[in-house]
Amino acid sequence: GFSHANGSEHVVPGQAVMSAFFIVSLVTFSFFAEHGWGTWDRLRASRATPFEIVAGKSLPRIAIGIAQLVLLLGAGVVLFGLHIRGSALALAPLIVAFSVCLVALGVCVTAVCRTAQQASAFAYLGMVLFGAIGGAFVPFDVLPGWARAVAPVTPTYWAMRAMRSVVLDGRGLGSVALPVVALLGMAVVFGLVALRR
């Protein structure tokens, strides 16, 4: 339905959103590696509070997520002719919110899973399942009705919705406000689950 589109307008954001899910496994690995190395007890015995430990492991991963998304979208522009019709700056709060959401999901997965293998399986299954249901593989409009009904509970849906509104529909900052709020809301829920566990 977009005569100006060359295909990269869906593929590049979709692949960028999908690959961002690797951040979830990086977060879980950073915690479980401490157990494997036998340094977790020493870390907990240090002066650092639990919040400081989690923040110290999370903040660098948020930065990695932001850098990864910016790099992939930039490469899409240069290598694949991705044309962003709207304001590219409108993608900035989305990229930050999506990265925060994925890192919070990683902390939540770490808190819920007992082993690194469980956490890794969940991270990769989540990447594929959320990608399929959230519209990263194919345009949201061609998904079956049940998938469209479930999609709004996935971070992928909100990221792709905002990307589509900026990249294809040519909209600006106002179009990403609801997706950013939804992603940050999910991050809070993930954080609360992690705190409870």
Side-chain angles (χ1 to χ4, degrees):
F2 295 91
S3 58
H4 62 278
N6 64 15
S8 66
E9 288 83 0
H10 181 78
V11 174
V12 172
Q15 290 302 309
V17 165
M18 284 291 300
S19 65
F21 265 86
F22 285 114
I23 295 297
V24 175
S25 61
L26 284 177
V27 171
T28 61
F29 176 77
S30 73
F31 285 96
F32 282 108
E34 295 280 355
H35 291 281
W37 296 331
T39 55
W40 181 251
D41 290 335
R42 279 187 276 170
L43 183 62
R44 295 279 292 144
S46 72
R47 293 176 139 183
T49 66
F51 175 80
E52 290 170 340
I53 293 170
V54 171
K57 292 190 169 295
S58 299
L59 291 176
R61 273 68 183 186
I62 292 171
I64 290 170
I66 292 168
Q68 177 181 336
L69 285 164
V70 169
L71 180 66
L72 289 174
L73 291 172
V77 169
V78 173
L79 299 175
F80 300 110
L82 171 65
H83 178 68
I84 301 173
R85 294 193 66 203
S87 169
L89 290 177
L91 294 175
L94 169 71
I95 289 170
V96 171
F98 188 52
S99 298
V100 168
C101 182
L102 292 180
V103 168
L105 176 60
V107 173
C108 181
V109 169
T110 303
V112 171
C113 294
R114 294 214 173 274
T115 66
Q117 291 80 9
Q118 287 177 349
S120 180
F122 181 88
Y124 290 112
L125 177 65
M127 176 176 64
V128 173
L129 184 62
F130 288 175
I133 293 174
F137 289 155
V138 296
F140 182 74
D141 298 340
V142 302
L143 291 172
W146 68 267
R148 288 194 304 258
V150 174
V153 300
T154 68
T156 308
Y157 166 79
W158 294 103
M160 289 304 298
R161 176 177 163 170
M163 293 251 189
R164 180 183 169 107
S165 69
V166 173
V167 172
L168 280 170
D169 296 332
R171 297 192 180 137
L173 197 56
S175 68
V176 301
L178 180 60
V180 165
V181 169
L183 288 167
L184 293 177
M186 287 181 185
V188 169
V189 170
F190 297 146
L192 290 174
V193 170
L195 283 173
R196 186 155 182 83
R197 293 286 298 182

